[in-house]
Amino acid sequence: MAEVNTAVPARIAFIGFGEAARAFLAGWRREPGFAAEVTAFDVKTDAADPAVRAAKLADYASDRVIGAATAREAVAGATLVVSVVTADQAHAAALSVVGNLAPNAIFLDCNSCAPQVKVKSAEKIDASGGRYVDVAVMAPVHPRLHETPLLISGGNAETAAPMLAALAMSAEIQPGPVGSSSSIKMVRSIMIKGIEALVCECVLSGRLAGVDDIVLATLEDTFPGFDWKKRSAYMLERVMTHGVRRAAEMREVALTVDLLGLEGRMARAIVDWQQEIGDLHLKASDFGPDHGARADAILAALGKKRAERPE
């Protein structure tokens, strides 16, 4: 039986230091006795845009983490490695640390990618002496931070569970091999990200036609208690803020569906709305909490972008 570590790790490394990583860390630091040294590497520190580089370095400083020049440097000596990158970079992130993991280091692959991709990553991590764990993050990381529900699976899940419990994380073991947790997340995302895409098309079209309030009111009659105006504003914000990352995830969802023997038609359609709105780089909070104001901002930005396209 594998040795189980029930203590908070002395050194934790993040590969990717965006919303999820920062949320987990903020939650851990609320826990009494948390004193782990935390390192991080994020590819934005290598960005061509100096403003992007500076912003990420500022994140390191404000969150009191040791910024590393490379992923290999970040994981050196860490007994827990948390990979939270965009879905399309998940396998590359795993490969980037092969050969530099501490012996028996737990590698949490928290990325939303196809289960088949996670199987490939697990083979590389485990062969290098690490302990790979398939992790599915099952809800937004705000407001629950480190207590956001997780599903963990694979042969190392039982070994990792006590360490995650020591960090006060809400991790449930999903029986089965690597890919079991991710299969649940990928299939679920068809619905979750699909509703967001449907709301985008519905609300933006309704706004242009001048009927959005009426449409949402009739939806409230059909699905009472959903609070369509408030939920629509929230979903527009999610796509505005995270559309690029969600689009990458939905490409992985489409691949998952394909490899199951179906065609990921809906998943690929969802990619289009998530990517197009995410690429606008709009800050939802600049436009207030109302769905109409957010929709108008998206429509204005889309109109400007299309007007600038060469004939």
Side-chain angles (χ1 to χ4, degrees):
M1 183 175 178
E3 180 184 351
V4 174
N5 190 339
T6 60
V8 173
R11 186 179 178 95
I12 300 172
F14 284 106
I15 306 304
F17 197 67
E19 181 185 34
R22 299 183 74 192
F24 288 160
L25 180 56
W28 292 337
R29 285 200 165 129
R30 294 181 183 180
E31 296 295 327
F34 179 82
E37 182 177 66
V38 180
T39 61
F41 171 74
D42 192 292
V43 293
K44 287 186 177 180
T45 58
D46 291 334
D49 186 340
V52 173
R53 295 199 303 272
K56 188 50 59 181
L57 292 172
D59 289 344
Y60 294 163
S62 65
D63 288 2
R64 307 190 311 279
V65 305
I66 301 168
T70 65
R72 289 174 61 83
E73 180 183 309
V75 305
T79 52
L80 178 65
V81 177
V82 186
S83 178
V84 272
V85 298
T86 56
D88 57 333
Q89 293 301 309
H91 186 57
L95 293 179
S96 71
V97 301
V98 166
N100 217 48
L101 291 169
N104 297 318
I106 298 293
F107 184 95
L108 300 181
D109 190 339
C110 300
N111 303 300
S112 299
C113 57
Q116 296 86 351
V117 173
K118 290 204 169 182
V119 169
K120 291 195 302 180
S121 295
E123 291 172 351
K124 297 295 185 181
I125 294 296
D126 288 348
S128 72
R131 294 179 176 179
Y132 181 97
V133 181
D134 173 18
V135 183
V137 182
M138 299 304 292
V141 292
H142 292 286
R144 286 180 280 188
L145 306 176
H146 65 312
E147 296 177 335
T148 300
L150 309 175
L151 292 179
I152 61 174
S153 60
N156 296 309
E158 290 191 7
T159 302
M163 182 183 287
L164 300 185
L167 288 164
M169 299 188 82
S170 181
E172 177 183 344
I173 295 176
Q174 174 61 35
V178 166
S180 300
S181 295
S182 292
S183 292
I184 295 170
K185 175 68 181 288
M186 292 288 96
V187 173
R188 181 178 182 270
S189 287
I190 300 170
M191 187 63 67
I192 298 300
K193 275 68 175 185
I195 291 174
E196 292 175 352
L198 287 171
V199 162
C200 289
E201 188 161 316
C202 177
V203 171
L204 296 180
S205 298
R207 199 72 179 164
L208 289 171
V211 298
D212 55 301
D213 284 334
I214 297 171
V215 168
L216 294 177
T218 63
L219 287 173
E220 194 64 35
D221 286 340
T222 305
F223 303 98
F226 190 75
D227 197 346
W228 279 91
K229 287 188 177 181
K230 182 177 180 180
R231 293 292 185 93
S232 294
Y234 172 74
M235 291 183 193
L236 289 173
E237 182 275 327
R238 293 284 85 187
V239 181
M240 294 164 83
T241 305
H242 300 295
V244 173
R245 178 171 60 80
R246 278 159 149 69
E249 177 181 333
M250 291 312 299
R251 290 185 184 95
E252 292 292 315
V253 171
L255 174 61
T256 301
V257 176
D258 291 346
L259 292 173
L260 288 170
L262 302 175
E263 291 184 25
R265 291 184 292 264
M266 292 301 295
R268 289 187 174 86
I270 294 164
V271 168
D272 293 342
W273 271 119
Q274 296 279 357
Q275 187 75 51
E276 186 169 22
I277 294 176
D279 280 341
L280 298 174
H281 302 295
L282 297 172
K283 188 176 180 181
S285 59
D286 289 344
F287 309 104
D290 179 67
H291 81 275
R294 291 178 179 177
D296 287 345
I298 293 170
L299 289 168
L302 287 174
K304 180 180 178 182
K305 186 174 182 180
R306 286 166 183 164
E308 292 172 350
R309 288 177 183 167
E311 295 294 334

